[in-house]
Amino acid sequence: MGTRHQARERALQILFQHDIHGKADVHLDEFWREYQVSDESKEFAERLVQGVLAHKKELDATIGKYATNWTVSRMPVVDRNILRAGLYELLWLNDVPAKVTMDEAVELAKSFGDHDASKFVNAVLDKALATETRLAEKRANPDRAVWRRTEGD
């Protein structure tokens, strides 16, 4: 399993716990004792978690805009956190190609979501990628990382 794939799985688990218990920091030390990972995986996972939590309102508003007939609060906890992390990667992690982000989010949904989760995650992220003006560079180069930092980084 790749370092970043493992990091995304761990980030999803932490975000899930945060949604259920309210505070990710409280159980983080215990979590990392139970799930030993490389320093690189831990760093990337924590980068995802901190980014999602810092931008949660904006992420949820964007997800809500593209999730037809769904409110974010009514989505399964796993699906909503995969979407948050995937959208965070698309919007703020310019060193990750859009294609990688999309593939990883779909794989997480297949592993952790229900039967239709991967289709749902793919559809919402695909709509965001196709429509959000801030993602124009990633649309133009979905297989390459975009190195220019965006406003607010």
Side-chain angles (χ1 to χ4, degrees):
M1 176 184 325
T3 300
R4 285 203 169 177
H5 180 78
Q6 185 179 51
R8 286 180 182 94
E9 284 186 353
R10 299 303 175 246
L12 176 60
Q13 291 169 315
I14 294 166
L15 290 168
F16 184 93
Q17 285 182 10
H18 182 270
D19 249 12
I20 301 300
H21 301 294
K23 294 196 183 258
D25 299 1
V26 174
H27 304 287
L28 208 48
D29 289 335
E30 185 179 313
F31 179 87
W32 288 124
R33 277 193 298 277
E34 185 172 336
Y35 296 100
Q36 297 288 314
V37 296
S38 70
D39 289 342
E40 187 180 348
S41 282
K42 183 178 176 182
E43 182 181 317
F44 189 71
E46 288 184 355
R47 183 176 171 199
L48 285 175
V49 170
Q50 290 167 359
V52 167
L53 296 179
H55 298 282
K56 187 173 161 186
K57 274 188 171 181
E58 182 179 353
L59 292 168
D60 285 357
T62 305
I63 292 165
K65 187 164 57 170
Y66 299 112
T68 310
N69 300 322
W70 280 93
T71 60
V72 175
S73 63
R74 304 262 314 158
M75 289 177 189
V77 177
V78 170
D79 296 0
R80 113 174 121 230
N81 282 295
I82 292 170
L83 286 168
R84 286 172 177 160
L87 189 57
Y88 173 76
E89 276 194 49
L90 287 172
L91 291 170
W92 282 282
L93 298 188
N94 293 324
D95 61 326
V96 180
K99 182 176 179 161
V100 171
T101 298
M102 297 291 290
D103 289 347
E104 287 287 326
V106 168
E107 287 305 313
L108 287 172
K110 286 178 181 177
S111 296
F112 294 99
D114 69 15
H115 177 68
D116 294 323
S118 62
K119 294 175 198 164
F120 177 68
V121 165
N122 186 64
V124 173
L125 291 179
D126 191 53
K127 284 181 193 175
L129 183 60
T131 308
E132 287 295 305
T133 54
R134 292 183 293 168
L135 295 173
E137 287 184 65
K138 285 200 174 188
R139 274 195 301 278
N141 300 300
D143 296 327
R144 292 196 339 223
V146 178
W147 294 101
R148 184 183 61 75
R149 296 188 74 86
T150 58
E151 210 175 297
D153 280 348

